[in-house]
């Protein structure tokens, strides 16, 4: 299936939007081919094999990041991982990235609203990860995955467990009747790949700054640093 100039332009725009670079743009294009398309168009490869690979890369990047960043028991890490790599979590990211507009579907799937089905969107997210891994290697794929997984982990962690900020607040309030104060030192980088630097103030003591890919995650890490001094 030969790529038109217009299709190449749309794929390049997508790459710029999410901060990735493909050497083989045809590989990225394949990641958007739903199996319903190949059922109707002879000789067109679908994205299922790429999805299979991308699922494993996504899982590895997420597990390694959780292991490195959090000291929680295995059960907590497994719950967070399951939440952030789920269809429910990936589909909204896909919509935010404009993946729904680039999907290539069979006529029947198109008519039944396949372009906005969470399962199809999440599968395409994984296929793109698999394609990027094949095209540019693990480190590039890891950076792309963390651009959306790291903020999701910070949100899930703070909502689903007794996080470092909560622990710090409880201990500090019990000791001083005051609340920790978090300070955003800087925010750098483009929208798709920002870095946040945050410190936490406990009275006259300052811990940090620490850096992370989201403000919430940086605050968690600053709180963790302060807890180590209690």
């Amino acid at each position: 299936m030969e790529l038109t100039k217009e299709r190449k332009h749309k794929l390049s725009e997508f790459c710029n939007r999410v901060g990735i670079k493909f050497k083989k743009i045809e590989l990225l294009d394949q990641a958007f081919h739903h199996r319903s398309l190949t059922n109707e168009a002879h000789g067109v490869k679908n994205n299922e094999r790429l999805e299979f690979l991308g699922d494993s890369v996504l899982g590895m990047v997420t597990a390694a990041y959780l292991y490195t960043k959090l000291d929680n028991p295995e059960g907590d890490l497994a719950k967070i991982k399951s939440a952030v790599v789920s269809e429910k979590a990936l589909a909204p990211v896909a919509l935010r990235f404009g993946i729904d507009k680039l999907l290539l579907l069979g006529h029947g799937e198109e008519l039944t609203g396949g372009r906005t089905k969470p399962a199809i969107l999440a599968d395409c997210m994984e296929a793109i990860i698999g394609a990027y891994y094949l095209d540019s290697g693990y480190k590039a794929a890891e950076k792309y995955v963390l651009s959306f997984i790291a903020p999701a982990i910070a949100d899930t962690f703070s909502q689903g467990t007794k996080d470092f900020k909560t622990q710090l607040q409880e201990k500090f309030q019990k000791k001083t009747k005051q609340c920790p104060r978090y300070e955003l030192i800087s925010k750098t980088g483009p929208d798709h790949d920002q870095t946040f630097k945050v410190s936490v103030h406990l009275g006259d003591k300052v811990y940090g700054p620490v850096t992370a890919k989201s403000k919430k995650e940086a605050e968690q890490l600053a709180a963790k640093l302060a807890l180590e001094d209690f």
Side-chain angles (χ1 to χ4, degrees), residues 22 24-34 45-58 122-135:
F22 264 82
K24 297 177 182 176
I25 201 71
E26 295 81 9
L27 195 57
L28 173 62
D29 186 56
Q30 186 186 335
F32 290 99
H33 292 187
H34 186 251
K45 291 182 178 180
N46 65 38
N47 66 5
E48 288 185 323
R49 282 167 55 83
L50 292 174
E51 175 203 332
F52 165 77
L53 178 61
D55 176 65
S56 294
V57 176
L58 173 64
D123 288 349
C124 187
M125 281 287 290
E126 292 176 344
I128 292 167
I129 294 165
Y132 198 35
Y133 168 78
L134 290 175
D135 183 84

Side-chain angles (χ1 to χ4, degrees), residues 66 69-73 76-77 80 151-172 180 182 200 215-228:
L66 285 167
K69 295 293 183 180
L70 302 178
D71 292 328
N72 290 54
D76 285 350
L77 301 184
I80 296 169
I153 286 173
D155 288 343
T156 302
F157 183 64
S158 61
Q159 291 167 14
T161 65
K162 197 170 186 179
D163 56 88
F164 295 125
K165 285 182 68 176
T166 301
Q167 293 178 49
L168 180 63
Q169 181 164 325
E170 288 177 354
K171 288 187 176 184
F172 190 59
Y182 295 88
V200 60
K215 184 168 177 277
K216 285 185 178 180
E217 184 192 4
E219 288 177 348
Q220 290 288 347
L221 293 176
K224 180 179 179 234
L225 187 65
L227 279 168
E228 290 170 358

